[in-house]
Amino acid sequence: MRRAVPSREELFQILDGVKDPEVPVLSVVELGIVRDAVAGDDGVVVTITPTYSGCPAMHEIEIEIRRALAVEALGPVEIRTTYAPAWTTDWITQAAREKLEAYGIAPPGPADSSELIPLRRRAAAIRCPYCKSHDTQQRSVFGSTACKSIWFCNECRQPFEEFKAI
């Protein structure tokens, strides 16, 4: 039996239970992937923006969004993908940044959209999520996923990932 039509805020609360498959401490809402959610008598429409156009996790995220809404018996679910405006790490909530760091991933700094990214650039040292030292160095621009890079802390000797600012 279907329940009453939920508000946008109620839909976002439901979707906050959908975790990112690549960083399972964060929800798709905290990451800013869910742009909108609207319910009506004929079902639910959820608008999402991928973190980048080739993100392999988006298919799994769509499945999990459908699953979370099916539990609520809200009717058919339509998922719309939009690429404009492009997703940015600036959409990640402050609470999510703190969760990233507690999980051992350095959160992204602010995205700099004012200039083109040079092909060769030296990455500024970032804070180690374990010991909080800034005596770190980037070991690889590419981490376990395209949105992360690999770093090493010279202080506590721990490798860690950084969520790249996009």
Side-chain angles (χ1 to χ4, degrees), residues 47-66:
T47 304
I48 59 175
T49 298
T51 55
Y52 70 100
S53 62
C55 180
M58 291 312 295
H59 180 69
E60 185 64 27
I61 288 169
E62 288 182 24
I63 291 169
E64 292 304 315
I65 286 173
R66 288 180 193 285

Side-chain angles (χ1 to χ4, degrees), residues 14-15 17-18 63-74:
I14 294 166
L15 296 173
V18 176
I63 291 169
E64 292 304 315
I65 286 173
R66 288 180 193 285
R67 185 174 290 142
L69 294 171
V71 167
E72 301 295 325
L74 300 173

